[in-house]
Amino acid sequence: MSATSAPFGLRPAYHPTGLDRAIALANGITSGYAYNLLKGQPVELSGGVLIRSDGTDSIQGAFAGVEFTDTTGRRRVSNYWPAGTTATNIVAYFYQDQQIVYEIQSDGPVSQTAIGSQFDITNPYAGSTTTGLSAATMSSSGTTSGNNQLRVIDIAPYPDNNWGDPYVIVRVQISQQQFTANVAAIA
């Protein structure tokens, strides 16, 4: 499994309280927004609406889907926001709780010494409009003293997913969250 590159973005694994619910944001995407927003893609808030994160900024969370009324009056529900869509009654769903533990695939080998270290997101715009899923990954180069977007807390407990494999699936929390004070990595 972790010998194959098959990224899926930020996928909620669990929350310490057992509640990993998406937030519904009314009018959460600007009608005509020019970029795809894919399920699992890192997002940030700007002017009260969601926008895609570029992989270097603080992030608000992970995109979870959208529902909207299209120009024909039909209500749509989708894993992703199609670039340039003109719509009304847009409800964007996203995960924002900093305590949520996500799974994400690394873009290269990561060792067990990465636990507690912080890493940035790579390929933040990658994904499929066929499935609506993000293909964002986590950088395999991190820091033990600075502040990056994600903090590794564990490895995902899947068969054939081992530390040091070419594409490790790790469990992370957002460490550079838009509305929370950032804490540096621990050594």
Side-chain angles (χ1 to χ4, degrees), residues 29-87:
I29 301 172
T30 302
S31 179
Y33 182 63
Y35 303 102
N36 291 323
L37 289 176
L38 302 162
K39 186 172 185 172
Q41 183 174 19
V43 292
E44 51 191 88
L45 281 169
S46 177
V49 295
L50 290 179
I51 61 171
R52 65 185 189 166
S53 176
D54 69 2
T56 60
D57 295 338
S58 294
I59 59 178
Q60 184 63 27
F63 189 70
V66 64
E67 60 180 284
F68 57 90
T69 304
D70 68 17
T71 56
T72 67
R74 184 173 175 198
R75 194 73 180 154
R76 304 277 182 170
V77 177
S78 179
N79 275 346
Y80 81 103
W81 171 261
T85 299
T86 302

